[in-house]
Amino acid sequence: MTVALAKPPRARSNSTLQIALRRLLKHKVAMISLGIILLLILVAIFAPLIAPYDPNTQDLEGIYGQPGPGHPLGQDSLGRDMLSRIIYGSRISLLVGFTVAIFSVVLGTLMGVLAGYFGGRTDNVISRFIEIMLSIPELPLQLTLSGLFAVSDVPAIVALRDNPLSSVFIIVGIFTFFGWMGTARLVRGEVLRLKNLEYVDAARALGAKNGRIMLQHLVPNLIAIIIVNGTLAVGGAILGEAALSFLGFGIQPPVSTWGNMLSNANEVVLEHPFVAFYPGLAILLTVLSFNFLGDGLRDAFDPKSRL
């Protein structure tokens, strides 16, 4: 008779991401913020089905129409439905936010890994460039670059301006150029610590090339920094786009954004406060949601936090 031996219980191994996810689920503010963000994403995706009107349809008889049954959030200076424009504006804000965050995080991670891993002259060049850029006030330079793109006669830029979404591409490029330095500094500091650990020395002793060490052994250990900074970068990009559009240097009409809606309401905010209140509320709610989610992710990945 054969006796079947019981198999020993398998030890449950929890990855850093699994532990962070469980900790994040306990962070109530972050989960509420995540729910709001997911709702905004769904609204942006299904904007043509949700919006009651075309965002550019004008009704000159309903200029500054008060909120009511036909127009729940009122009408703007050209009689356009405010709710429809806010819904469609979420598309541009989220597009700018996510695109800038992705490009900035990828570029910042690349520069930070190169600077931290190779050190020496590579580190000096990248670090000095970052310090110079961080010493320059961003907003005036962003305004200058946006204005130069608007009046440039370079054929490639002129052709780009013919596209209705050209200002979106320009804003994404400008914000990406200024947005990667913070991530690069954090990644560099972490790589300086990681590259001296034993597992990196072991990989190097086994003949692993620099590229493989950076991609397979260093970058996976930077996931926490990348995720947290990417989340915070989305909110920063949305707020920055709104600021430039409000000043008239950002995304131009007829493309609907929350920033240029605020710009159009600038002169009538006292007589018709709802024209500025609702797009401002949308910006505030979105940016706060991303910032609170970023704070929750930072606490979830930090083993010292009390979650």
Side-chain angles (χ1 to χ4, degrees):
M1 182 178 67
T2 59
V3 179
L5 298 177
K7 295 182 179 180
R10 301 179 66 180
R12 296 184 61 185
S13 59
N14 294 316
S15 67
T16 302
L17 289 177
Q18 290 174 331
I19 296 173
L21 179 59
R22 287 203 298 268
R23 291 166 61 85
L24 179 64
L25 292 175
K26 299 178 183 179
H27 199 296
K28 294 182 180 179
V29 176
M31 294 309 299
I32 294 174
S33 300
L34 179 60
I36 295 173
I37 292 170
L38 293 176
L39 179 61
L40 286 170
I41 292 173
L42 291 175
V43 167
I45 293 173
F46 297 105
L49 301 177
I50 299 175
Y53 301 94
D54 184 288
N56 295 319
T57 299
Q58 301 179 11
D59 178 14
L60 299 182
E61 295 181 357
I63 292 177
Y64 295 124
Q66 296 295 315
H71 300 277
L73 302 185
Q75 296 169 269
D76 66 2
S77 60
L78 295 176
R80 296 170 296 191
D81 182 61
M82 290 283 296
L83 176 60
S84 300
R85 291 183 64 76
I86 289 176
I87 290 174
Y88 273 87
S90 66
R91 285 184 153 189
I92 301 300
S93 294
L94 293 178
L95 174 63
V96 170
F98 282 117
T99 307
V100 170
I102 292 172
F103 289 162
S104 299
V105 167
V106 170
L107 182 58
T109 301
L110 175 62
M111 293 293 103
V113 170
L114 291 176
Y117 184 79
F118 290 108
R121 182 175 298 177
T122 302
D123 186 18
N124 286 332
V125 171
I126 295 175
S127 297
R128 298 298 83 75
F129 178 77
I130 292 175
E131 290 172 1
I132 292 172
M133 292 302 299
L134 291 177
S135 67
I136 301 174
E138 287 188 22
L139 184 58
L141 194 53
Q142 289 172 349
L143 293 173
T144 302
L145 290 176
S146 180
L148 289 176
F149 276 110
V151 300
S152 175
D153 56 357
V154 176
I157 297 178
V158 173
L160 179 63
R161 286 203 301 264
D162 293 337
N163 189 320
L165 294 177
S166 62
S167 51
V168 177
F169 303 141
I170 293 171
I171 292 297
V172 168
I174 292 174
F175 283 178
T176 300
F177 179 73
F178 288 99
W180 61 271
M181 279 84 76
T183 301
R185 295 184 72 178
L186 292 174
V187 168
R188 172 187 173 275
E190 187 66 10
V191 170
L192 287 174
R193 182 185 68 86
L194 293 174
K195 74 174 184 178
N196 295 317
L197 298 182
E198 294 180 355
Y199 75 94
V200 177
D201 293 334
R204 192 179 293 112
L206 291 172
K209 302 295 183 181
N210 290 330
R212 182 175 181 179
I213 292 175
M214 288 187 286
L215 290 176
Q216 296 187 6
H217 298 285
L218 294 180
V219 172
N221 288 285
L222 301 171
I223 293 298
I225 293 177
I226 293 172
I227 292 176
V228 172
N229 277 273
T231 305
L232 296 174
V234 177
I238 291 174
L239 189 61
E241 179 276 319
L244 284 186
S245 297
F246 175 76
L247 295 173
F249 289 86
I251 298 173
Q252 301 299 317
V255 178
S256 174
T257 73
W258 297 335
N260 60 33
M261 290 178 69
L262 282 176
S263 179
N264 293 335
N266 189 32
E267 297 180 355
V268 296
V269 64
L270 296 180
E271 295 84 359
H272 308 286
F274 67 90
V275 182
F277 175 77
Y278 293 115
L281 180 63
I283 295 171
L284 176 65
L285 185 63
T286 304
V287 174
L288 282 180
S289 296
F290 278 105
N291 287 344
F292 283 141
L293 178 59
D295 289 340
L297 288 169
R298 182 177 57 199
D299 293 340
F301 281 106
D302 184 4
K304 297 180 181 179
S305 66
R306 297 181 179 180
L307 276 182

